[in-house]
Amino acid sequence: MKYLFPPPAVPAVPIQNSDDFFPIHRIFCVGRNYEAHAKELGNVVDKESPFYFTKAASHYVPSGATVPYPPGTANYHHEIELVVAIGQSGFQIAEENALSHVFAYACGLDMTRRDLQAAMREKKLSWDIAKDFENAAVVSALAPASAIGHPRAGKIELKVNGDLRQASDIGLMIHSVPALIAHLSTLYHLQPGDLIFTGTPEGVGPVIAGDCIKGMIEGVGEIALNISAAES
Ligand code: MN
């Protein structure tokens, strides 16, 4: 096969203490997985079934990057999340076996154009332009489960310019990592390279040009993102 132009490079995430990179296949994101965050945005939690949206793999940006304030928004928000990296394929995975499909964990930032999300939600339209935009999927270096185990609880925190904005515990997730994998794998054949953003706790809020975001998840790692001026 001859391509019309060179195909884009496969986005890939570094792995802690390794020269290998994890090539991204798909990025799934879970909505409303912490009760206090659902409430702060005026939503009711559905404890029966999680809901999802997706981001293009090409919208990945590594931790430590500097990204321009995105176009089309005046309310660009941070959401820190535990990210699960799938290392083994599976379909209709039993919750008891779910963790065997996890290669690693990471910190993620589900960057959001909150004003567009609110407008789309109001019109009952897709969230794509609010969630799936350039540089909107920030992921830290992966911490392999072989090194850190499978964290069930632990501090999750985000600071903007040193001020604490989000502080919770990943043990407060409504749908656990095994439950999410089991449910998502009824809808998709999970494959190596799939990433799952597991939802953010309360305290989401805006960032502006010049801001520096720093986050951490206990036992997993740290993440950072710097915001520069909008492109003109
Ligand atoms: Mn989110």
Side-chain angles (χ1 to χ4, degrees), residues 29-33 37 53 55 78-81 109-112 114 117 127 131 197-201 204:
C29 303
V30 179
R32 299 171 196 162
N33 203 22
H37 169 63
F53 55 91
K55 298 190 187 231
H78 55 77
E79 296 191 357
I80 187 162
E81 315 202 352
L109 296 172
D110 164 16
M111 298 305 292
T112 302
R114 190 73 68 202
Q117 184 191 26
W127 289 4
K131 289 290 197 179
F197 279 62
T198 59
T200 197
V204 301

Side-chain angles (χ1 to χ4, degrees), residues 3-8:
Y3 291 111
L4 181 62
F5 52 86

Side-chain angles (χ1 to χ4, degrees), residues 64-144:
T66 298
V67 303
Y69 192 92
T73 184
N75 201 16
Y76 174 44
H77 272 210
H78 55 77
E79 296 191 357
I80 187 162
E81 315 202 352
L82 177 69
V83 174
V84 177
I86 298 294
Q88 198 189 312
S89 63
F91 180 57
Q92 298 177 341
I93 298 166
E95 197 170 323
E96 308 84 73
N97 299 330
L99 294 180
S100 67
H101 295 261
V102 176
F103 166 68
Y105 296 89
C107 302
L109 296 172
D110 164 16
M111 298 305 292
T112 302
R113 295 193 273 216
R114 190 73 68 202
D115 42 1
L116 298 187
Q117 184 191 26
M120 294 302 108
R121 198 177 66 168
E122 183 72 19
K123 294 181 192 169
K124 296 189 157 68
L125 294 175
S126 155
W127 289 4
D128 281 6
I129 61 169
K131 289 290 197 179
D132 189 13
F133 57 97
E134 291 154 7
N135 305 315
V138 191
V139 183
S140 72
L142 301 186

